[in-house]
Amino acid sequence: MALMKSWVESANAADCPFPLNNLPYGVFSNGEDEARCGVAIGDMILDVTLLEEEGVLVVDEDDPVFDLPFWNDFMEMGTEAWTALRARLTTLLTDGGDDAISGNADLKSRALVAQSDAEMHMPIVVTEYTDFYAGRHHATNVGTMFRGAENALPPNWLHIPIGYNGRASSVIVSGTDVRRPWGQLKSPDHDMPAFLPCRRFDLELEMGAIVGTSSDGPITVQEADDNIFGYVLLNDWSARDIQAWEYQPLGPFQAKATATTISPWIVTKAALEPFRCDTPAREFELLPHLKDVGPMLYDIDLSVTLAPEGKDATTIAETNYSQMYYSAAQQLAHHTTAGSPMNVGDLLGSGTISGPTKSERGSLLELSWGGKEPMTLDTGEARTFLEDGDTLTLHGAAKGDGYQIGFGDCTGAVLPALKDPYAR
Amino acid sequence: MALMKSWVESANAADCPFPLNNLPYGVFSNGEDEARCGVAIGDMILDVTLLEEEGVLVVDEDDPVFDLPFWNDFMEMGTEAWTALRARLTTLLTDGGDDAISGNADLKSRALVAQSDAEMHMPIVVTEYTDFYAGRHHATNVGTMFRGAENALPPNWLHIPIGYNGRASSVIVSGTDVRRPWGQLKSPDHDMPAFLPCRRFDLELEMGAIVGTSSDGPITVQEADDNIFGYVLLNDWSARDIQAWEYQPLGPFQAKATATTISPWIVTKAALEPFRCDTPAREFELLPHLKDVGPMLYDIDLSVTLAPEGKDATTIAETNYSQMYYSAAQQLAHHTTAGSPMNVGDLLGSGTISGPTKSERGSLLELSWGGKEPMTLDTGEARTFLEDGDTLTLHGAAKGDGYQIGFGDCTGAVLPALKDPYAR
């Protein structure tokens, strides 16, 4: 597939993250205006809420769909509506296509907002949030650190996508600062735990899949793939010292409760279609209900940069989404095996994505090997875990022939812990 | 405190679960009518939605609060509104009180619906669901079975209320049948896992606390207690064989995803006030942010009955909520330590409540000691885990001087597993 040309000139540059091929969905506000639904094109945002008000976009003939600043109502309409909107937006934005916007100077000036003028908001109401642990290199690295190389992968790991329910209320949009949490910790050299600010605050480089169609009961991998609306970048901020003390026997809880940051644009499954690729070779055949049904992952380049306060950013990791062992569809299918209903707006984190080499590790836990091997940033500072003032940014792009499908940054700065979390 | 007399005669019997002292909140429908908010009094339900429509109850002067069949909007109004509604309902239902209903035969006949004619629905929209593991006898029993008596309690257990996020979409109201799930299992005598119907389907006798006031950041135990709106009985259906295979290293996932049943009436914190009691003696002092602030538990008698299909029920366990090691307020306070926002409608399961003796164990896992010691029902059948057709019911009541505060049954029947979960 090649670049599709738009009359929005900035969308046609080879390094633009938002060409006509992409059309990712988000929620934005411009100055004092209320937040609205929009689609990114080049360096602009097309105001979908306005276009619906003006009758240029008609998704539902009876009721407005974009009158609330979330994409949930639209997702709820189902796959035919998803296809129709993408087709309509493509026609409206194609160079030489429908000139309802391009040929109407007044509408054009009102419907296109510069991304640099806009503030981005959460694109969806996150109904429930689940985080997986489905990157083999990450699970092997962490397992080796905690249990030794021989027991690195638990016996179940190659048979089911291990996951746990997270906290939807803690999901935030890129650009929101993250406060270093307090938590109960126990140092190996102390007998008793203490309540202290986290000392090992970390990132996890992940992708998030958004469920766009609800289900009630077990669904197949193909049905799960059909039910996914799109993808975002996801940083699952993790308090490693809280996790070490709390996670036995029922898994991580407060270690993962501070924040999970997502990128502001939902890149649709449709936009990623040309980048599908196979999951890795498997040691054990998966059980039939979890088997691949064609290429299930995507070739998406991912990287992480870290910028100490007031300083330049260093790229600390580069990897690719194709390093996952389980696809989001397989995770979603597994999620339904025991009968749990899944709802529009559910968010599934992929699990940390690490590649086989050191520079491909998607967490500081792995990059600093549990804090034992500090890494040196380009600015000369050493890092084991995150320090106050650090800004962490995830980047992602699927690279095509003369164009790319970008995700927009997934970024957040670490604020110092509160002096007293109970001061009122 | 003694029985408060109501003009609804059935509410004055000493064994009535819903005297004027109780006034629990639920959602009901009567025949074809839409579901509405109501309060239980004696063997009747007072239609709160109707009373608001008629102007007999005014909670918000500008907008209706009970026009949706959930108590979330009312909870959102805050503690003053909670106190005011309870006071108003008490006055309206007291023998010799305000005669707006009792003195208006037409309104009285429309506003009071027999419980026997009503179908109960979910009383709230469950925003997110968290399940704890905070009963010491249960944790000791399970730990002894899995890790031996010496390692029964993990090192963190006496210092933090261990919990994990559950799946809100799987919470259902009492009376809903529960389908035995399929899942990935591995028998100890097989090398490879298989996808099969669960063979060790179990109950967990718990109480659920409902968050009625939202928070954003760490809150104290006192603030947490203030934010709890009320309590329900809760059965956390558990697939033990799925759990055994999946739970390392990130905790239970599909084992707990089939269903969690709650009783239909929210018993308010106000109704339970006379039954407050202390948490048990502690081996280690809790850290300051988790310490008790007065009596934090409640003296509530709990029991479980099991009825094989078409047969009489046997009481299989009797215990008391005062057996918990951590209160719901301490669990909620811990839940906020890392900064996670809590929302109106969040549901916190206490964890299985077992007492020190065998007959006080709140799960079949414990009652049958991992399936090794089948129990015999009054009907002569043996049980290790649940069988298809079994109806499981939790009962709960706080017992006062000549009255009791009942919860209403929390019941569900086990349906056989689907023959093929993927047949369409």
Side-chain angles (χ1 to χ4, degrees):
Chain A
M1 196 159 193
L3 175 76
M4 295 161 66
K5 280 198 79 175
S6 173
W7 51 262
V8 180
E9 278 301 331
S10 59
N12 300 328
D15 62 349
C16 173
F18 307 121
L20 184 54
N21 307 55
N22 194 345
L23 299 180
Y25 301 135
V27 169
F28 73 102
S29 61
N30 183 8
E32 295 299 298
D33 288 355
E34 282 191 5
R36 327 165 62 78
C37 295
V39 57
I41 180 76
D43 56 8
M44 308 297 281
I45 302 170
L46 185 67
D47 185 337
V48 167
T49 299
L50 175 76
L51 294 179
E52 184 181 55
E53 285 164 5
E54 302 270 335
V56 179
L57 278 178
V58 181
V59 176
D60 179 328
E61 299 203 344
D62 301 321
D63 289 305
V65 174
F66 298 113
D67 56 336
L68 291 175
F70 300 108
W71 284 81
N72 300 60
D73 285 353
F74 173 70
M75 291 195 285
E76 188 101 44
M77 297 192 70
T79 50
E80 279 185 37
W82 306 353
T83 305
L85 179 66
R86 184 169 170 83
R88 176 71 178 142
L89 288 170
T90 302
T91 307
L92 286 167
L93 288 166
T94 295
D95 191 17
D98 186 320
D99 68 352
I101 304 169
S102 59
N104 180 334
D106 168 57
L107 181 61
K108 190 167 138 183
S109 74
R110 289 185 295 125
L112 283 172
V113 175
Q115 285 170 27
S116 55
D117 291 341
E119 182 187 352
M120 298 305 297
H121 303 271
M122 280 290 291
I124 59 166
V125 177
V126 177
T127 314
E128 296 194 62
Y129 167 50
T130 310
D131 193 32
F132 286 86
Y133 182 64
R136 182 166 184 171
H137 302 292
H138 170 72
T140 303
N141 287 337
V142 172
T144 302
M145 272 182 261
F146 290 171
R147 292 177 291 273
E150 303 217 337
N151 302 307
L153 284 188
N156 51 23
W157 202 95
L158 295 167
H159 300 282
I160 39 174
I162 296 295
Y164 65 98
N165 296 295
R167 181 80 196 166
S169 68
S170 67
V171 181
I172 56 178
V173 73
S174 176
T176 312
D177 293 337
V178 175
R179 176 77 64 189
R180 179 185 297 274
W182 285 66
Q184 200 177 112
L185 324 170
K186 197 184 86 59
S187 312
D189 53 337
H190 282 76
D191 285 344
M192 298 291 280
F195 188 64
L196 293 168
C198 168
R199 294 159 183 185
R200 297 181 142 222
F201 200 43
D202 198 0
L203 78 135
E204 291 198 337
L205 165 61
E206 304 192 21
M207 302 266 313
I210 294 168
V211 176
T213 301
S214 60
S215 58
D216 188 8
I219 60 174
T220 65
V221 173
Q222 183 60 59
E223 288 164 342
D225 197 68
D226 293 344
N227 287 0
I228 293 171
F229 180 69
Y231 292 84
V232 290
L233 304 177
L234 186 149
N235 179 3
D236 183 35
W237 302 88
S238 299
R240 301 296 179 194
D241 40 6
I242 297 175
Q243 189 171 356
W245 175 236
E246 78 176 357
Y247 93 107
Q248 288 290 9
L250 299 186
F253 184 51
Q254 290 307 290
K256 304 287 194 166
T258 301
T260 296
T261 304
I262 63 171
S263 52
W265 296 106
I266 307 170
V267 175
T268 62
K269 198 172 49 184
L272 291 170
E273 223 33 65
F275 303 95
R276 276 192 186 263
C277 61
D278 288 322
T279 47
R282 299 192 187 282
E283 224 160 296
F284 300 108
E285 205 177 344
L286 293 179
L287 287 170
H289 70 293
L290 289 177
K291 273 196 178 155
D292 298 62
V293 288
M296 314 223 58
L297 289 173
Y298 300 98
D299 178 5
I300 301 170
D301 285 343
L302 300 168
S303 65
V304 183
T305 55
L306 191 162
E309 195 163 10
K311 302 209 173 157
D312 287 343
T314 300
T315 298
I316 60 170
E318 289 181 290
T319 183
N320 192 289
Y321 183 52
S322 61
Q323 294 288 351
M324 297 302 303
Y325 196 76
Y326 296 98
S327 65
Q330 286 163 318
Q331 293 172 335
L332 175 54
H334 174 60
H335 209 319
T336 67
T337 47
S340 174
M342 301 299 297
N343 290 306
V344 172
D346 284 342
L347 174 66
L348 311 187
S350 60
T352 307
I353 307 165
S354 294
T357 69
K358 185 161 181 178
S359 66
E360 293 172 89
R361 294 176 183 165
S363 68
L364 284 166
L365 178 68
E366 293 163 89
L367 287 163
S368 74
W369 208 251
K372 289 182 196 148
E373 301 171 13
M375 65 189 305
T376 306
L377 305 179
D378 296 347
T379 50
E381 278 107 335
R383 279 292 177 283
T384 49
F385 294 95
L386 293 167
E387 300 202 356
D388 293 344
D390 283 354
T391 294
L392 220 290
T393 307
L394 315 187
H395 312 263
K399 296 190 180 141
D401 180 14
Y403 76 101
Q404 50 179 279
I405 301 291
F407 282 76
D409 289 350
C410 178
T411 191
V414 179
L415 300 180
L418 292 170
K419 284 208 165 166
D420 173 0
Y422 300 107
R424 294 289 181 266
Chain B
M1 197 159 192
L3 175 75
M4 295 162 66
K5 280 197 82 176
S6 172
W7 51 263
V8 179
E9 277 301 330
S10 59
N12 301 327
D15 62 350
C16 174
F18 308 121
L20 185 53
N21 307 56
N22 193 345
L23 299 180
Y25 301 135
V27 169
F28 72 102
S29 61
N30 182 10
E32 294 301 298
D33 287 356
E34 280 191 6
R36 324 165 65 77
C37 295
V39 57
I41 180 75
D43 56 8
M44 308 297 281
I45 302 170
L46 186 67
D47 185 336
V48 167
T49 299
L50 175 76
L51 294 179
E52 185 183 54
E53 285 164 5
E54 302 269 336
V56 179
L57 278 178
V58 181
V59 174
D60 179 330
E61 298 203 345
D62 301 320
D63 289 304
V65 174
F66 299 113
D67 56 335
L68 290 175
F70 299 108
W71 283 81
N72 298 60
D73 286 352
F74 173 71
M75 291 195 285
E76 188 102 44
M77 298 193 68
T79 50
E80 279 184 38
W82 306 353
T83 305
L85 178 66
R86 184 169 170 83
R88 176 72 179 141
L89 288 170
T90 302
T91 308
L92 286 168
L93 289 166
T94 295
D95 191 17
D98 186 319
D99 67 353
I101 305 169
S102 60
N104 179 335
D106 168 58
L107 180 61
K108 189 165 137 184
S109 74
R110 290 185 295 124
L112 283 173
V113 175
Q115 284 170 29
S116 55
D117 291 341
E119 182 186 351
M120 299 304 296
H121 303 271
M122 280 290 291
I124 58 167
V125 177
V126 177
T127 314
E128 295 195 64
Y129 166 51
T130 311
D131 194 32
F132 285 86
Y133 183 64
R136 182 166 186 171
H137 302 291
H138 170 72
T140 303
N141 287 337
V142 172
T144 302
M145 272 182 262
F146 291 171
R147 292 178 292 272
E150 302 218 337
N151 302 306
L153 284 187
N156 51 22
W157 202 94
L158 294 167
H159 300 282
I160 37 174
I162 296 295
Y164 64 99
N165 297 294
R167 182 80 196 166
S169 68
S170 68
V171 181
I172 56 178
V173 72
S174 175
T176 313
D177 292 337
V178 175
R179 177 76 64 188
R180 179 185 298 274
W182 285 66
Q184 199 177 114
L185 323 171
K186 199 183 84 60
S187 311
D189 52 340
H190 283 75
D191 283 345
M192 298 290 279
F195 188 63
L196 292 169
C198 167
R199 294 159 182 183
R200 296 181 142 222
F201 200 43
D202 198 0
L203 77 135
E204 291 196 336
L205 166 62
E206 304 192 19
M207 301 267 313
I210 294 168
V211 175
T213 301
S214 60
S215 57
D216 189 6
I219 60 174
T220 65
V221 172
Q222 183 60 58
E223 288 165 341
D225 197 68
D226 293 344
N227 287 0
I228 293 171
F229 180 68
Y231 293 83
V232 290
L233 304 177
L234 185 150
N235 179 3
D236 182 35
W237 302 87
S238 299
R240 301 297 178 193
D241 40 7
I242 297 175
Q243 189 171 356
W245 175 237
E246 78 175 357
Y247 93 108
Q248 287 291 7
L250 299 186
F253 184 51
Q254 289 306 291
K256 302 287 194 168
T258 303
T260 296
T261 303
I262 63 170
S263 53
W265 296 106
I266 307 170
V267 174
T268 62
K269 197 172 50 182
L272 291 170
E273 220 38 61
F275 302 95
R276 277 193 185 264
C277 61
D278 288 322
T279 47
R282 300 191 186 281
E283 223 160 297
F284 300 109
E285 206 177 343
L286 293 178
L287 287 171
H289 70 292
L290 289 177
K291 274 197 177 153
D292 298 62
V293 287
M296 313 223 59
L297 289 173
Y298 300 97
D299 177 6
I300 300 170
D301 285 342
L302 300 167
S303 65
V304 183
T305 55
L306 191 163
E309 196 164 6
K311 301 208 174 157
D312 288 343
T314 300
T315 298
I316 60 171
E318 290 180 291
T319 183
N320 192 290
Y321 183 52
S322 62
Q323 294 289 350
M324 298 302 303
Y325 197 75
Y326 296 99
S327 66
Q330 286 162 318
Q331 294 172 333
L332 176 54
H334 173 60
H335 209 318
T336 67
T337 46
S340 174
M342 302 298 297
N343 290 306
V344 173
D346 283 343
L347 173 66
L348 310 187
S350 60
T352 308
I353 307 163
S354 295
T357 68
K358 185 161 180 178
S359 65
E360 293 171 89
R361 295 175 183 167
S363 68
L364 283 166
L365 178 69
E366 293 163 88
L367 287 164
S368 74
W369 207 251
K372 289 183 198 149
E373 301 171 11
M375 65 187 306
T376 306
L377 305 180
D378 296 347
T379 51
E381 277 107 334
R383 279 293 177 282
T384 49
F385 293 96
L386 293 167
E387 301 203 356
D388 293 344
D390 284 355
T391 293
L392 221 290
T393 307
L394 314 187
H395 312 262
K399 297 193 179 137
D401 182 14
Y403 77 102
Q404 51 180 280
I405 301 291
F407 282 76
D409 289 351
C410 178
T411 190
V414 179
L415 300 180
L418 292 170
K419 283 208 166 166
D420 173 1
Y422 300 106
R424 295 288 181 267

